[in-house]
Amino acid sequence: MQHLRGIRADFDATTITLYQAYAPAVAEPAVAAQRFVPPFSFGRTTWIKPSFAWLMHRSNWARKPGQERVLAVRITRAGWEEALRRAVLTTADPGELARAEVHVQWDPERSLRGAALNHYSIQVGVGRTLIRTFAEEWITGRASRWTWRPGWPRPTGRRRPTGPRRCSR
């Protein structure tokens, strides 16, 4: 039986992979450095998503302006768990939400064709007071650039999806 809400992720005993979409100007230096460097903004909330399918839907399959590069970012499980300990649901009291270092929301999971499914995946917003810790301590230094390749299934594509595939760097 599938749970209504869940953390669907690629993880092991010490790390978890999260996905983020950025403009090439932000993503390419991050991949080269294996960490976030300017022009990445350390002054605003960054949303991390363990669901690859949801992130691909959100970025319009890496076609949305400013989200053309999808990064697979590996962080420590300890960092992930710390973020969740500090998290407040986005539906919380507005005052509590304003003071929170981390925001959590649950959005419908997506199929490879982009259709909303009847269960939810977590999205975690790491706030500006914690962003340096995320970028400098939690990231393990193993980041990969993922992109959408021609011929891969898209939500409006004609080909039948065979599952997510990893691009070469």
Side-chain angles (χ1 to χ4, degrees), residues 20-137:
Q20 296 182 278
Y22 291 102
V26 174
E28 299 303 330
V31 171
Q34 291 295 285
R35 61 187 181 87
F36 287 109
V37 295
F40 175 82
S41 175
F42 291 95
R44 54 175 244 155
T45 297
T46 190
W47 286 87
I48 53 179
K49 301 145 185 90
S51 169
F52 179 73
W54 193 91
L55 185 276
M56 292 308 291
H57 164 76
R58 176 71 174 86
S59 69
N60 194 20
W61 302 87
R63 292 180 288 187
K64 187 179 281 187
Q67 297 184 16
E68 302 91 346
R69 297 288 185 272
V70 174
L71 300 182
V73 179
R74 203 110 181 130
I75 71 167
T76 64
R77 287 279 298 273
W80 172 252
E81 291 163 8
E82 179 65 22
L84 294 180
R85 274 192 292 280
R86 297 180 183 207
V88 172
L89 284 171
T90 56
T91 56
D93 171 73
E96 183 181 7
L97 190 59
R99 291 184 302 276
E101 294 178 289
V102 179
H103 298 156
V104 165
Q105 66 186 40
W106 294 93
D107 294 312
E109 180 61 275
R110 298 293 170 157
S111 73
L112 288 178
R113 292 204 181 269
L117 300 175
N118 62 357
H119 53 273
Y120 296 83
S121 286
I122 195 169
Q123 321 308 323
V124 177
V126 179
R128 62 180 168 262
T129 61
L130 200 55
I131 196 72
R132 287 243 177 230
T133 302
F134 163 75
E136 296 172 1
E137 297 176 24

